[in-house]
Amino acid sequence: MSAPSTWTPLHAKVHQTLRSRQLLPRQRRLLIAVSGGQDSLCLAKLLLDLQPKWNWQVAIAHCDHRWRADSEANAAHVQQLAQSWQVEFYQRTATQALPSEAAARAWRYQALTEIAQAHAYQCLVTGHTASDRAETLLYNLMRGSGADGLQALTWQRASSPEIMLVRPLLNLTRPETAQFCQVFNLPVWEDSTNQDLKYARNRIRQELLPYLQQHFNPQVEKALAQATELLQADVEYLEQAAIALRQQAQHPSQRGLNRLVLGSAPLALQRRVVRQFLQAALTKALNFEQIEKVTNLITAPNRSQTDPFPGGAIAVVEGEWIWLKQL
């Protein structure tokens, strides 16, 4: 069997995605997050193969959560791979137990961002796929997320003021990255925790999505990923419109909203303005019920007020204003 060409349809697809979406500009310094799994190995191989066309400087980073007995061997495996590809390698190891998937994800992004900052990498690149998008949409939908949470896996977002987090594989599926790894004989590290059904995302991946594929839509991953893409555009538009409306409605003290300005706006924008206003004023996380109580004050009688928010503040109607006051 002859060696595979270094330019495959997947190379062409990612190259075109990078051009059309302007995700990873030429001559940037890229830090690729590599777990050792198929998606991140596919990502690393693709970007290294595309490097001559884009004149990037590329490095690999690995985060060891210390969740598994083989995590040190996993890290050494990724380091050896980086050395074989002749690229810089960076590693961070957790110093304490991470209690949940969410905590591990937060630590991982923080660690990767710190590595990028310390070594002047402008882009942090991860191997999330359309399959991850589908799983994330289902996971957040069942947790009661609004449109913002349902489109959480975006093509790019700021990881820090100077570093962009980029996900260039969001139009590839997990079967595609698996086939790519097979074609190029990439040494995928099988993560045993991916089969552990105590993790909600694994149950979605191993049980829910196959059920939906069998009984509802064989292309359900693609359909959900497309829904996420549509939601992303809607959310971006609504958020910008809400920012403009909030600038009109907010008191210079930042503690009040004008009910007359908000009253003529659609409910979707009212809710977004209220959420932005509360997020800026309160340090605690907000839920739908709290945002809805303040939104209802837009048309409520004078002197109406909410229950206290975490931290002790309440929202009160005084004439044409909703004021946020500390108890």
Side-chain angles (χ1 to χ4, degrees), residues 250-271:
Q250 187 162 283
H251 191 270
S253 69
Q254 312 293 308
R255 304 294 290 184
L257 288 175
N258 190 294
R259 301 200 299 160
L260 299 181
V261 173
L262 293 178
S264 59
L267 178 58
L269 289 183
Q270 291 178 348
R271 284 173 171 156

Side-chain angles (χ1 to χ4, degrees), residues 16-322:
Q16 180 58 36
T17 297
L18 295 176
R19 290 178 59 185
S20 62
R21 294 186 175 274
Q22 302 179 347
L23 294 177
L24 296 171
R26 297 181 186 279
Q27 300 182 331
R28 288 294 198 273
R29 288 172 57 80
L30 313 185
L31 184 66
I32 308 172
V34 176
S35 66
Q38 67 180 50
D39 297 340
S40 64
L41 289 195
C42 175
L43 171 69
K45 169 68 173 166
L46 284 166
L47 294 186
L48 286 168
D49 289 346
L50 293 172
Q51 183 180 19
K53 293 182 177 294
W54 293 85
N55 198 23
W56 299 314
Q57 295 182 57
V58 176
I60 283 174
H62 177 79
C63 292
D64 179 0
H65 301 92
R66 297 176 62 193
W67 272 1
R68 311 186 318 269
D70 65 350
S71 69
E72 284 188 30
N74 185 175
H77 174 77
V78 176
Q79 182 177 15
Q80 185 177 28
L81 194 59
Q83 289 171 345
S84 73
W85 282 335
Q86 298 181 319
V87 297
E88 288 287 335
F89 175 77
Y90 305 96
Q91 180 182 336
R92 283 291 176 91
T93 303
T95 56
Q96 59 186 22
L98 299 165
S100 66
E101 290 178 273
R105 186 166 56 253
W107 171 80
R108 184 168 64 250
Y109 279 124
Q110 180 63 31
L112 291 168
T113 300
E114 289 173 358
I115 294 170
Q117 288 173 326
H119 300 279
Y121 290 97
Q122 299 143 312
C123 299
L124 174 58
V125 196
T126 68
H128 291 95
T129 65
S131 302
D132 293 301
R133 261 189 156 178
E135 292 165 12
T136 300
L137 186 147
L138 290 171
Y139 179 76
N140 287 340
L141 181 65
M142 290 182 286
R143 294 171 63 236
S145 293
D148 291 45
L150 298 182
Q151 58 88 53
L153 277 185
T154 55
W155 287 92
Q156 58 183 336
R157 66 170 175 82
S159 181
S160 75
E162 68 277 9
I163 298 167
M164 190 65 69
L165 172 64
V166 182
R167 302 180 176 105
L169 304 188
L170 287 182
N171 57 354
L172 305 186
T173 63
R174 196 166 287 122
E176 286 180 295
T177 64
Q179 183 182 27
F180 183 89
C181 290
Q182 290 174 357
V183 167
F184 286 96
N185 198 27
L186 299 180
V188 174
W189 188 276
E190 298 296 342
D191 184 345
S192 58
T193 60
N194 287 340
Q195 307 301 319
D196 191 340
L197 296 183
K198 76 178 181 182
Y199 299 114
R201 287 179 181 272
N202 288 348
R203 294 196 299 277
I204 292 172
R205 181 181 303 174
Q206 304 290 342
E207 298 180 339
L208 180 55
L209 276 170
Y211 181 85
L212 294 175
Q213 287 168 337
Q214 181 179 352
H215 296 284
F216 293 91
N217 181 0
Q219 301 297 318
V220 68
E221 283 191 3
K222 183 178 179 180
L224 292 172
Q226 288 174 341
T228 301
E229 188 72 16
L230 294 170
L231 281 166
Q232 183 181 343
D234 291 349
V235 165
E236 288 174 358
Y237 171 77
L238 288 169
E239 197 68 7
Q240 291 304 311
I243 289 171
L245 180 60
R246 179 183 160 203
Q247 289 171 345
Q248 298 174 42
Q250 187 162 283
H251 191 270
S253 69
Q254 312 293 308
R255 304 294 290 184
L257 288 175
N258 190 294
R259 301 200 299 160
L260 299 181
V261 173
L262 293 178
S264 59
L267 178 58
L269 289 183
Q270 291 178 348
R271 284 173 171 156
R272 284 185 176 274
V273 169
V274 167
R275 189 186 65 186
Q276 291 176 3
F277 170 71
L278 292 176
Q279 284 176 334
L282 304 174
T283 57
K284 302 290 185 179
L286 301 166
N287 59 35
F288 172 78
E289 288 76 16
Q290 291 165 336
I291 293 169
E292 201 70 355
K293 284 178 181 178
V294 177
T295 304
N296 291 337
L297 293 183
I298 295 171
T299 55
N302 197 36
R303 300 185 186 278
S304 299
Q305 65 183 51
T306 64
D307 302 329
F309 295 104
I314 61 169
V316 182
V317 175
E318 292 182 1
E320 66 184 61
W321 292 93
I322 300 170

